[in-house]
Amino acid sequence: MWKIIVDSTPQILLAGLQYTVTLSILSFILGLIIATVVALLRREQPKRQQGMIYFLWRVTDVVLSFYVWLFRSTPLLVQLFIIFYGLPSAGIQIGAFPAAVITFSLNVGAYASETVRAALDSVPQAQWEAAATLGLSRRQTIFEIIFPQAIRIALPPLSNEFIGLVKDTSLASTITIVEMFAITQQITAKNYQPLLMYSIVAVIYAFFSTILVFLQKYLEKRTSRYLKASALLGENND
């Protein structure tokens, strides 16, 4: 048993570093970019309730709402199969790794956009009004005033989303990506030790997730420290 563990663990870890970690980080970064753009576009309603700009915003809002609804309402595995196995029938050929990145990014973007939008809405309206009083532009207000406060609110759910993504990458094995779970299946087919092998990969997934949990707590403490410092500064100014 120990020989199997010693021989198999490095192979699974290597696959994790090559594919699982890379796929998770790349997909999450792209997903966050998508989520932020979607959240801002759906939130930034034009002041005038008529005209071409308002019409275009309404169309954009409908399209983005449909995108969020679609990816939140269908299983991730089905989304993977549609993009990797389904699109070639429409003449669109996508490699396994790009297909996984696209699917995971769009899935993260749909879920995280609601988190980002809720975090932006949770910032008091007085912050927007104060920024306008100081003469800050809309871009400056969002990126220099609102986002720093919203990030702290969105951090816990976004961290949970990332941890979930790391575990969901095991589904990439279904579209021929040789990540940790696929390597485990290949080794199991040779040594006929499914209980042992799947226990090993479960421990490795738990190890990665635990590291991310500690990182999440560290980031929460850092952001809370800045929040407390700002509160103390405000009290001193009073």
Side-chain angles (χ1 to χ4, degrees):
M1 181 182 73
W2 289 110
K3 186 178 186 306
I4 294 176
I5 295 175
V6 171
D7 292 341
S8 303
T9 301
Q11 298 179 54
I12 299 174
L13 279 172
L14 181 60
L17 294 174
Q18 285 183 325
Y19 293 103
T20 302
V21 173
T22 304
L23 183 58
S24 299
I25 293 176
L26 183 58
S27 298
F28 191 71
I29 291 174
L30 293 175
L32 276 184
I33 294 173
I34 294 172
T36 303
V37 172
V38 170
L40 288 175
L41 287 176
R42 294 184 67 191
R43 191 183 186 282
E44 292 298 297
Q45 181 176 342
K47 294 181 179 180
R48 295 184 60 186
Q49 302 295 310
Q50 56 185 353
M52 182 58 66
I53 294 179
Y54 180 74
F55 172 75
L56 291 176
W57 177 83
R58 288 294 301 171
V59 172
T60 302
D61 183 60
V62 170
V63 172
L64 294 179
S65 297
F66 176 76
Y67 151 68
V68 172
W69 168 82
L70 180 64
F71 277 84
R72 284 165 58 93
S73 303
T74 55
L76 179 56
L77 182 61
V78 174
Q79 297 164 16
L80 273 171
F81 274 47
I82 289 175
I83 291 179
F84 183 69
Y85 293 113
L87 290 183
S89 64
I92 303 175
Q93 297 286 343
I94 303 177
F97 191 82
V101 171
I102 292 171
T103 305
F104 289 134
S105 299
L106 290 174
N107 187 272
V108 169
Y111 280 93
S113 67
E114 294 298 287
T115 300
V116 173
R117 192 157 68 105
L120 291 173
D121 289 341
S122 67
V123 178
Q125 185 63 30
Q127 298 288 323
W128 296 85
E129 296 170 356
T133 302
L134 293 173
L136 297 180
S137 66
R138 194 70 175 177
R139 184 190 64 81
Q140 289 176 315
T141 301
I142 292 174
F143 290 101
E144 297 179 18
I145 305 298
I146 305 303
F147 261 18
Q149 300 177 66
I151 286 174
R152 180 183 177 275
I153 299 170
L155 184 59
L158 288 178
S159 299
N160 292 334
E161 182 74 27
F162 184 51
I163 293 172
L165 176 62
V166 171
K167 293 179 287 186
D168 286 341
T169 54
S170 61
L171 296 175
S173 63
T174 61
I175 60 170
T176 72
I177 294 180
V178 189
E179 44 71 67
M180 290 199 302
F181 190 69
I183 284 289
T184 303
Q185 289 178 309
Q186 292 177 6
I187 298 174
T188 302
K190 296 177 181 178
N191 62 23
Y192 303 103
Q193 296 290 333
L195 178 60
L196 176 60
M197 294 308 306
Y198 293 138
S199 297
I200 292 173
V201 75
V203 169
I204 294 175
Y205 273 116
F207 173 72
F208 285 159
S209 298
T210 302
I211 292 176
L212 293 175
V213 169
F214 280 114
L215 179 60
Q216 174 187 350
K217 292 180 179 179
Y218 171 76
L219 292 175
E220 287 179 4
K221 287 182 179 179
R222 292 282 296 181
T223 54
S224 297
R225 183 183 307 171
Y226 291 126
L227 186 66
K228 291 177 181 178
S230 299
L232 288 174
L233 182 60
E235 291 177 1
N236 292 335
N237 289 337
D238 292 340

